[in-house]
Each structure stands twice: as C-alpha cells, then as structure tokens.
Amino acid sequence: MKPVLTKFGICLALVIMTGCVYWQIRHHGTVNTDDFHITTNKFVDNAYSYQGLLEGMSTLVAGIWMPLVYLSAGAQMEFFGRDFGLYHLVAAGIHAANAVILFLLLFQMTGALWKSALAAALFAVHPLNVEPVAWLACLRVIQSGFCCLLTLYFYALYAARRSSFYYTLSLFWYAASLFSVPMFPAVPFLLLLLDFWPLGRLGGKEKIGRAVWEKFPFFGIMAILLAIVMFSHNLSTSPGIDPYPLPERILNVFYAYVGFIQQTLIPFNIAVYYPFPDSFPFWKTGGAVLALFIITAISLRRVRRYPFLIIGWLWFAGMMFPLSGIAQIGTQSRSDHYAYIPLIGLLIFIVWGAAAVVEKRRLPGKPVAVASVIVIVLLAFVSWRQAGYWKDSETLMRHALKVTRNNFEAHNYLAQALADQGDLDAAVDHFKKALAIKPDHLKSHINLANVYISTGQADRAIYHLNRALEKDPTDARLYNNLGALYEKTGDARAALVNYRKAVALNPGYAPAYDNLAVVEANTGDLAGAVGHFQQALAINPRSAGTHFRLAVTLVQAGREEEAKQHLLTAITLDPANPQFRELLNLFRQGRPAALTGTEN
C-alpha cells in the first residue's frame, strides 16, 4: 500500500474509533457542574454583537480569561441554539481531529508510522480523555489542545524545512491556545525537549543557543498570558473554596502525578471530582515520591540509548505541573481534563518503551499487533461506558460517589439534580451527607435552604442561610433571601436588618431595595419606603412590580398624582396584570385609597 494511502487509512480509523466511543453523547444534555458557563452565559448568547465581543474579550470568568472559547461557543449558539447534543458532537469532532494531528505530528518527528498510529489511537480512546470531550464546560480544554497540537505540528515542519512560514504558524497557534484558555503555557519548554528528541537539533553549543533564541517569541507570549492569570487568580473572590495550605498542595502534587499514572495504566474508578486528601500519611507520601523518583532516575540513566523515555516523562511532568494543583483552582485534588495534553507524554513513554522491549527481545510482530488491537478495543469499551455516565447530572454524580470516598461535592450536585426532578426528600438526604463530610460547605447550605424554602420550612431555611453567611458574609443575595424569610415569619425587624445589609454590600442590587421598601411601608415608614422604591427603579426602571408597589405606597402617603404616574408606567410594562387594572379603576372612581384600606 502506498504511504499516502496508509496514512489516510490511519487517520480515517482514528476518526471512526473516536466516533464509535462518543456518538452516544449526541443524545446527552448538560450537567449541573460548570456547564452554565456555556448555557446561560450572556457573552455566549451575544458573542458576535459589538457589546458581546467587547465584554467577552475583557471579562474574566472564575478568574480565567478565555475569549476565543466564547467566540467558538457563541458560533455554536448561533448555529445550534440550545440543542446541546450538537455541541457535544462538535467536541467529539475536535477530539478526533486532535488524534489525527497527534498522529501526523509524531510521524513527522519520528518517522515511526505504527508507533505514531498506536500512540494516537490510545489518545483517541483513552478513558482519561472522556471528561474533556463529554463535559460541555471543557470546550476550552479540547479547543486549547487543538491549538497546542497545531503549534507542535507546525514547529516540527519548521524544524524539518527551515521555513519562516511554518514558524509563524506555530507561533500563531500557540497564542491561540493560550487565548482559548492558558492551560498549557509550558509549550516553549516542550519545544526545547523535542529539539533534543526526536528532532535532534541540539548538537553543540551553537545549535543549543539558536534553539533557545528561537523560543523567545514563545516565551514572550507565555509571560504576557501568565501575568494575566497570576493577576486574576484569587481564591478570596470565591468564598466557597477554602485555600489549602501550600505544604498540603505540594504534597498533593505527588498524589496527583501518581493518580494520573495509575489511571493511565489501569483506567478504572474515574470520576468527575476527586476530593482533596484528608491527610497525607508518611507511607503514602513517601511511596508516591519514591515512585516518581524511580521513573525519573531510570529515564535519565537510559537517556542516550532510549531518549524517548525522558522526553515522554518530562512532557507529562512539565506540562502537568501548572495544572497539578500547586496553584489551587477548585476544591478537588485533581481533574482528568487537566491531563489532556500531558497524557501524550506518558503515551510516548509507554509506546516507544514497549516497542524497545519488543525489539530487544525480538518478539514476533503479529502477536504484538494483536495485543495492541486488544488494548485499544478494551480502552474504547471502558471509554464508551465512561462517556455514558455523562448523560445527566444524576448518573454522573452517582458514579462519582460509587468510585470515591467523602465526596461532598458529588453529594451536593446529586442533591441539586434530585431537587430539580422534584425528589426533595432524597435531595435533603444528600445535602445532609455533604454537610456531614464538610460542615461549612457553602453551596450545600445555600441549596438546602432553597429546598426548605420551597417546602415552607422557613425556620430550617433560616438556620442554613445563617450558616452560609458565616462562611460568606459578603453575599448580598444571601442577606436578601434571609430578609425575605424573616419577613415571611413575621419578624419585620430582622427582615429590615438583613435587607439593609444587602443594600450596603451591593448598592446596585435592586431586589433588596424593593424588599426593604415593602417592609418599611408595612411598618409605617412611608418616606423610607418611597425613597428605597425610587432607588430600586433607578437601577431597574422596567420593573412593573416596583412601579406598582411605589404607586400603592404613594397613595398611602397621600401623593395620588405621583402614584397615578407610576401606576400607568406599571400598566405599560405589564398591561395584563389584573391588580394594576383594579387600582386604575379605583383612580377613575376617585377612591384609590380603597385598595390600601386607608379610605375614609
């Protein structure tokens, strides 16, 4: 078979096997863990309007700047609307493209056709890559990975042909990768590793100096993006996230590395969320450190004969380090989607290392090929099952609870899913389990309070909102909701206190002004009520309800002409409201005070 046809056949096979694993996600919806960044994001809904472009390019979400992701998500919103199954297919398509690019990259650099094909096939069907493909919120990961792989591919072409055109393309795609999401900033260091092997461009001091000099534009882009990340990354803006002490984060790095290696080799017990360790026993920490030391030592010792070992290992370790949890992003110990590009290093280590063993022992080719196919098929089956867990939030979180321990986040998200389905008793049970593991878990207290509100258990809701405010005393919405609960129980004084705290914390929060004004009107402070209604309308002048409530209060204060103007505005905004029409009829009869019970 001609080489071109062979390469085409391999690329086609990569696409087909990826499709076999991921076609099912066409029928998946969204999950309640971060998908709202795509599904309910105003930048995505208006990505191609002038205002949307301006805000999307200048806004950080959860401390992350990812303008190109919003553009691509906005394009999908334009074409697909809210058919999120099609979004999933786009993700699977990008992943298939990434597998093809990886094959072409490895073949371009090494000339080893079947090793490159095997590594790309393992990448395409490995269960660790299910999360970035099946999770809608991980569009940023596979998009950044796509740009990252193109960076490497065009650099390999540049190294082979010394063309400034390919160098420029490589630099462009590196910038695009970081502008998608700054997950893989270590690419310039990776390029230097590839210069050593397999590109072989570091022979002699002069060549080393030139290779380093070539990377300066890459390092410049990296420095700019890292400055943005470091400036914006601040856990204090996320009260639901407890910053872990630096020594614990460092120890967790060793656990994360070993966890990824273990699940690369034996891909079981994969979950959407891995809880941070409760403790770091010496035997376990020492074992993790020793395992990593042994891998590094063996790779270095064999560097002359088997350079692919140290390159594959450093590809994984170096690309993984910024994502290992040393800089805390959430409450998890690690996340599978962080390994999307670093995993390639381990696959190079495994495939080229296994090939070296086969060559050294002169094992027959056919059994080796059959064994490789069996491994690919088994991994594809495990990935197919893993992708199935992503069909909805309940299935995903039940699986996470099955394969992990003390997973308070999974209990919380499962409870949310059950509450959305109307199974409130089961939801309460799982919220309580989350709080039994982590008593100060902010999201569980808030969500449990919402369930109690919906079931009319105001006292219990008040308790959990107060516990939430102990964790986050800066959230105006919590004070507003607590004020509404106190108002419901008849404690007007406590309601006023909490509404006033809400407006003090967030002077632009119209609902709190509105609620504060209602209580003031009910307690006889009509002047205060009028002032706060007016402040609410200054923030949100199109609130028909606020105009109506202000009209009623002005009637109580004897200011009927002003009241009538606000009533007419309310009717203009909501012409079908019968209560508004009732007051208008009373105005026409000359007795508007009859609605308020103050008529003489």
Side-chain angles (χ1 to χ4, degrees):
M1 185 181 290
K2 294 183 179 180
V4 173
L5 291 178
T6 302
K7 287 170 62 177
F8 176 78
I10 291 171
C11 293
L12 182 60
L14 291 171
V15 172
I16 291 173
M17 66 177 67
T18 304
C20 289
V21 171
Y22 291 107
W23 178 255
Q24 60 181 306
I25 66 176
R26 166 65 181 96
H27 306 291
H28 291 185
T30 62
V31 295
N32 59 8
T33 53
D34 289 354
D35 276 358
F36 63 87
H37 287 311
I38 300 294
T39 60
T40 61
N41 193 304
K42 62 180 181 179
F43 306 139
V44 173
D45 288 336
N46 302 289
Y48 291 92
S49 67
Y50 173 77
Q51 188 65 26
L53 281 171
L54 186 64
E55 292 183 351
M57 293 293 292
S58 61
T59 302
L60 299 171
V61 176
I64 301 174
W65 186 51
M66 40 187 175
L68 294 187
V69 170
Y70 285 131
L71 289 178
S72 61
Q76 292 183 66
M77 187 68 75
E78 290 287 332
F79 284 109
F80 307 143
R82 307 195 70 78
D83 185 353
F84 295 115
L86 291 174
Y87 292 58
H88 288 306
L89 281 190
V90 170
I94 297 174
H95 179 58
N98 288 346
V100 170
I101 296 168
L102 176 60
F103 161 66
L104 297 175
L105 165 67
L106 293 176
F107 181 61
Q108 171 67 34
M109 293 193 299
T110 67
L113 181 70
W114 295 111
K115 294 175 193 174
S116 301
L118 178 56
L122 294 174
F123 175 81
V125 301
H126 200 284
L128 280 180
N129 283 339
V130 169
E131 179 174 292
V133 178
W135 192 356
L136 200 64
C138 281
L139 169 65
R140 65 189 189 276
V141 178
I142 55 171
Q143 179 174 314
S144 181
F146 173 80
C147 299
C148 181
L149 287 169
L150 283 178
T151 301
L152 303 180
Y153 178 66
F154 285 116
Y155 182 80
L157 290 178
Y158 159 73
R161 304 178 188 180
R162 303 296 300 169
S163 167
S164 59
F165 174 71
Y166 290 125
Y167 180 88
T168 303
L169 283 177
S170 179
L171 194 63
F172 169 82
W173 285 110
Y174 177 57
S177 173
L178 294 181
F179 278 41
S180 294
V181 63
M183 281 188 67
F184 309 118
V187 165
F189 298 102
L190 177 56
L191 295 178
L192 286 171
L193 290 176
L194 298 179
D195 281 337
F196 174 69
W197 182 91
L199 297 176
R201 303 180 67 234
L202 299 185
K205 292 183 179 179
E206 181 179 340
K207 290 185 177 180
I208 293 174
R210 185 176 65 189
V212 173
W213 177 254
E214 287 173 342
K215 309 304 181 295
F216 268 75
F218 291 90
F219 282 116
I221 294 173
M222 180 185 74
I224 293 171
L225 267 294
L226 284 181
I228 294 173
V229 172
M230 295 303 293
F231 177 77
S232 62
H233 184 67
N234 183 3
L235 283 174
S236 65
T237 62
S238 302
I241 300 177
D242 292 315
Y244 298 120
L246 180 60
E248 291 187 7
R249 298 205 305 271
I250 293 173
L251 293 176
N252 180 66
V253 168
F254 298 111
Y255 284 31
Y257 273 85
V258 171
F260 282 125
I261 294 170
Q262 178 183 338
Q263 289 187 320
T264 299
L265 298 172
I266 309 173
F268 297 110
N269 295 336
I270 292 175
V272 64
Y273 179 87
Y274 302 99
F276 197 84
D278 295 326
S279 61
F280 296 87
F282 177 78
W283 66 269
K284 193 172 182 179
T285 304
V289 173
L290 180 61
L292 299 179
F293 175 79
I294 290 173
I295 296 172
T296 306
I298 291 174
S299 301
L300 286 171
R301 186 176 180 182
R302 302 285 183 172
V303 66
R304 290 185 180 275
R305 189 169 182 181
Y306 305 121
F308 46 78
L309 294 179
I310 191 62
I311 297 303
W313 174 242
L314 291 180
W315 179 322
F316 167 71
M319 295 291 282
M320 191 75 248
F321 185 74
L323 306 168
S324 62
I326 191 70
Q328 187 181 346
I329 297 174
T331 59
Q332 72 281 353
S333 64
R334 58 189 171 91
S335 291
D336 292 345
H337 62 272
Y338 292 151
Y340 189 66
I341 294 299
L343 176 65
I344 296 170
L346 285 183
L347 297 180
I348 291 172
F349 186 103
I350 293 167
V351 171
W352 266 259
V357 172
V358 169
E359 292 168 8
K360 184 176 181 180
R361 296 181 179 273
R362 298 182 179 178
L363 299 176
K366 286 186 178 179
V368 171
V370 170
S372 298
V373 171
I374 290 173
V375 169
I376 291 171
V377 171
L378 289 175
L379 288 176
F381 174 72
V382 175
S383 291
W384 178 80
R385 286 192 61 188
Q386 188 67 29
Y389 296 130
W390 285 86
K391 67 178 182 179
D392 56 51
S393 301
E394 180 181 356
T395 305
L396 182 64
M397 294 307 159
R398 287 195 186 279
H399 174 71
L401 290 172
K402 183 178 179 181
V403 300
T404 61
R405 295 174 58 252
N406 297 327
N407 200 330
F408 59 90
E409 292 282 10
H411 277 296
N412 171 68
Y413 286 117
L414 174 57
Q416 283 183 260
L418 293 169
D420 291 340
Q421 297 169 21
D423 191 351
L424 299 184
D425 290 338
V428 168
D429 180 58
H430 281 284
F431 282 133
K432 288 182 175 178
K433 287 179 178 177
L435 291 171
I437 299 168
K438 186 173 175 57
D440 64 343
H441 190 223
L442 178 65
K443 288 184 288 188
S444 292
H445 279 297
I446 294 173
N447 293 330
L448 184 52
N450 289 335
V451 171
Y452 283 137
I453 290 170
S454 69
T455 56
Q457 301 178 70
D459 290 341
R460 291 185 177 183
I462 286 171
Y463 168 79
H464 286 286
L465 281 182
N466 275 311
R467 291 296 306 275
L469 283 166
E470 290 174 10
K471 184 70 175 177
D472 180 14
T474 65
D475 192 332
R477 293 172 302 171
L478 293 181
Y479 281 109
N480 182 60
N481 293 343
L482 186 57
L485 284 170
Y486 279 122
E487 184 181 354
K488 193 173 184 178
T489 61
D491 191 342
R493 182 175 175 278
L496 286 170
V497 168
N498 283 280
Y499 288 143
R500 284 169 180 159
K501 286 181 179 178
V503 298
L505 285 168
N506 185 357
Y509 189 29
Y513 283 111
D514 196 329
N515 291 335
L516 173 58
V518 169
V519 178
E520 287 174 330
N522 291 339
T523 56
D525 184 4
L526 299 181
V530 169
H532 287 126
F533 278 132
Q534 290 172 338
Q535 284 179 282
L537 289 173
I539 300 165
N540 182 16
R542 297 191 58 79
S543 173
T546 304
H547 279 289
F548 174 74
R549 287 184 285 276
L550 175 54
V552 172
T553 304
L554 288 169
V555 168
Q556 290 177 295
R559 298 159 61 178
E560 294 183 1
E561 286 302 316
E562 294 177 61
K564 188 173 183 179
Q565 294 304 314
H566 284 284
L567 175 61
L568 292 174
T569 302
I571 292 172
T572 301
L573 294 169
D574 184 6
N577 192 301
Q579 196 174 16
F580 299 175
R581 292 290 178 182
E582 181 185 357
L583 181 56
L584 182 60
N585 288 333
L586 290 173
F587 265 106
R588 288 170 176 167
Q589 298 169 20
R591 42 192 294 269
L595 186 70
T596 66
T598 59
E599 185 181 31
N600 292 323

